[in-house]
Amino acid sequence: MVKTISKILSVVFHPLVMPSLGLLMIYNSGTYVSMLSTEAERIIFLIVAVGTFLLPLSLIPVFIYTRMVSTVEMKDRSERFFPLLITSALFYIDYFVLRSLMVPRIIQLFILAATLSVVLTSLINIKWKISAHMVGIGGVIGALLAMSFRLLADISVFLIISVVIAGLLGFARLSLNAHKPSEVYGGLGLGFFTNMLLLIFF
C-alpha cells in the first residue's frame, strides 16, 4: 500500500509538473502578476506547459527507443545526463519565448531558475544521483519564498502546501528506495537555493 501511494505521489508531483504548478501559484499570489488578463494567463500557461512538460514528456519514448534510457524511471544515474541536458535546452527555449513576449519578470526568472536547476542536476548526476523530484519541489518553495521577500506577498498558504508536498514526496522517494536521504535533502536544497537566490537578486 505504501509503495503504491509513493508511486502515485512520484507521478503526480513529477519534476516536469513543477514549473506549471509553480506558475499557477504565482498567478494566485496577490502580486502584480494577478492583474494579468485571463487570456494572457492562458497563453503563458500554455507556453510553460508545452515547453517544460509536454515536449520533454514526449521525448521519453524516443529516449527508450534509442536505448538512451532503459526505463521511464531512469533508475540508473548514468542514463540521466543527456535526457536532463536536452530537457534543460527545452526549458531555456521556453524562457527565451517568454522573454521575447515580455511576460512579467518574475515568471521569466522562475523558468530561468528551473532551467538552471535542471542543468545543475544533470551535471551533479554525473557523480551523484541527486533527486530531481526534490529539486523540482524545492524550486517551487524557493521561488515562493523569494516572492514573499521581493514583492512583500502573503503567500503563506502556498508555502505550507508546497512544504507538505515536499515532505510527502521525500517520503515517497525514500520508501521506493529511489534515493538515499542525502540525495533527497541535496535535491531539495539545490532547487530551493537556485530559485530563491535567482528570484531575489536578479
Side-chain angles (χ1 to χ4, degrees):
M1 184 64 175
V2 173
K3 296 283 186 182
T4 301
I5 294 174
S6 296
K7 287 180 180 179
I8 292 172
L9 288 170
S10 295
V11 171
V12 172
F13 298 112
H14 191 275
L16 296 178
V17 174
M18 292 304 155
S20 298
L21 177 63
L23 180 60
L24 290 176
M25 293 182 178
I26 292 173
Y27 279 165
N28 295 280
S29 61
T31 63
Y32 70 98
V33 179
S34 302
M35 294 186 289
L36 286 169
S37 67
T38 302
E39 183 179 0
E41 286 185 350
R42 287 175 180 171
I43 292 172
I44 295 170
F45 183 81
L46 181 62
I47 293 170
V48 170
V50 169
T52 64
F53 178 70
L54 292 178
L55 284 178
L57 188 67
S58 69
L59 289 177
I60 292 178
V62 178
F63 295 150
I64 294 175
Y65 179 75
T66 58
R67 296 183 180 178
M68 188 178 293
V69 301
S70 56
T71 63
V72 175
E73 291 85 1
M74 301 183 203
K75 293 181 179 179
D76 191 338
R77 174 175 53 80
S78 62
E79 295 180 342
R80 296 185 169 201
F81 179 73
F82 286 110
L84 283 171
L85 209 58
I86 293 170
T87 298
S88 67
L90 293 173
F91 274 44
Y92 184 77
I93 292 171
D94 206 59
Y95 160 72
F96 183 80
V97 171
L98 294 172
R99 184 179 177 183
S100 66
L101 293 175
M102 299 181 69
V103 305
R105 179 69 172 162
I106 201 74
I107 295 176
Q108 292 182 39
L109 289 174
F110 176 58
I111 300 303
L112 181 60
T115 304
L116 181 58
S117 295
V118 178
V119 171
L120 292 174
T121 300
S122 67
L123 294 175
I124 292 172
N125 258 281
I126 295 174
K127 293 292 185 179
W128 194 43
K129 190 185 174 185
I130 194 169
S131 173
H133 280 79
M134 299 309 294
V135 171
I137 188 60
V140 172
I141 295 172
L144 291 174
L145 194 60
M147 285 181 62
S148 69
F149 289 143
R150 185 168 181 172
L151 304 178
L152 302 177
D154 181 13
I155 46 179
S156 54
V157 173
F158 290 133
L159 274 170
I160 292 171
I161 291 172
S162 298
V163 170
V164 170
I165 291 174
L168 292 172
L169 198 50
F171 171 79
R173 303 310 290 161
L174 290 173
S175 68
L176 291 172
N177 294 317
H179 293 284
K180 299 175 182 176
S182 59
E183 295 166 345
V184 167
Y185 294 130
L188 183 67
L190 175 63
F192 176 82
F193 286 111
T194 301
N195 278 261
M196 188 177 71
L197 294 176
L198 197 63
L199 267 71
I200 286 180
F201 295 108
F202 293 90

